[in-house]
Amino acid sequence: MKVSVINHAEVETLLPMNECIEVMQKAFIALARGDVDQPLRTIFRPGTVKGVMAMMPAYSGGDAPLFGLKAICVFPGNAAIGKDAHQGAVILFDGTTGELIAVVNASAITAIRTSTLLAPSPTIRRMSSQS
């Protein structure tokens, strides 16, 4: 299976905010129905490092089951060297075979997703406050 690697600019092109609003509505509904398993995130803080790693797994069943893992490192000092404090990837795996499908820039996804939650969408705001 071919693995897709999708960078920041490609995410912005492939996931316009207006389409992400609809995706987020469907995601909140799936989570509320129990169609998605999403355990609490794990945060790893080594004592000798000025940053943390957070890992957020999820599983979505249905006709095209997927495992997903958002893994990010947060280094607050990055701003001083012109880098984003959040660095990471969303990794997607086939939910039937476990094969790696894609590695996607997490910063771009997070920025677009966060913007959709601030968008003038009563449905998104209502669903967000209920989850």
Side-chain angles (χ1 to χ4, degrees):
M1 178 178 285
K2 182 179 187 298
V3 176
S4 297
V5 177
I6 303 172
N7 67 32
H8 194 283
E10 291 168 327
V11 170
E12 291 177 334
T13 300
L14 295 169
L15 187 61
M17 189 162 71
N18 64 326
E19 290 179 26
C20 190
I21 291 170
E22 183 178 332
V23 170
M24 289 303 300
Q25 287 175 344
K26 290 177 182 177
F28 279 124
I29 290 168
L31 188 60
R33 286 185 179 155
D35 297 338
V36 174
D37 290 308
Q38 183 181 13
L40 293 175
R41 73 183 74 197
T42 299
I43 299 176
F44 177 50
R45 291 183 173 104
T48 59
V49 179
K50 294 182 180 179
V52 300
M53 175 179 260
M55 295 155 283
M56 297 154 267
Y59 173 79
S60 176
D63 295 335
L66 286 173
F67 280 98
L69 174 67
K70 180 179 179 184
I72 63 166
C73 286
V74 180
F75 281 77
N78 276 2
I81 58 171
K83 294 187 180 290
D84 190 346
H86 292 74
Q87 301 288 329
V90 173
I91 308 163
L92 299 176
F93 301 89
D94 184 287
T96 303
T97 65
E99 290 177 278
L100 179 63
I101 297 171
V103 179
V104 186
N105 181 284
S107 296
I109 290 173
T110 300
I112 296 167
R113 191 256 359 249
T114 301
S115 295
T116 66
L117 298 177
L118 301 172
S121 169
T123 305
I124 285 280
R125 283 197 305 274
R126 185 174 63 254
M127 295 167 100
S128 178
S129 67
Q130 294 172 357
S131 65

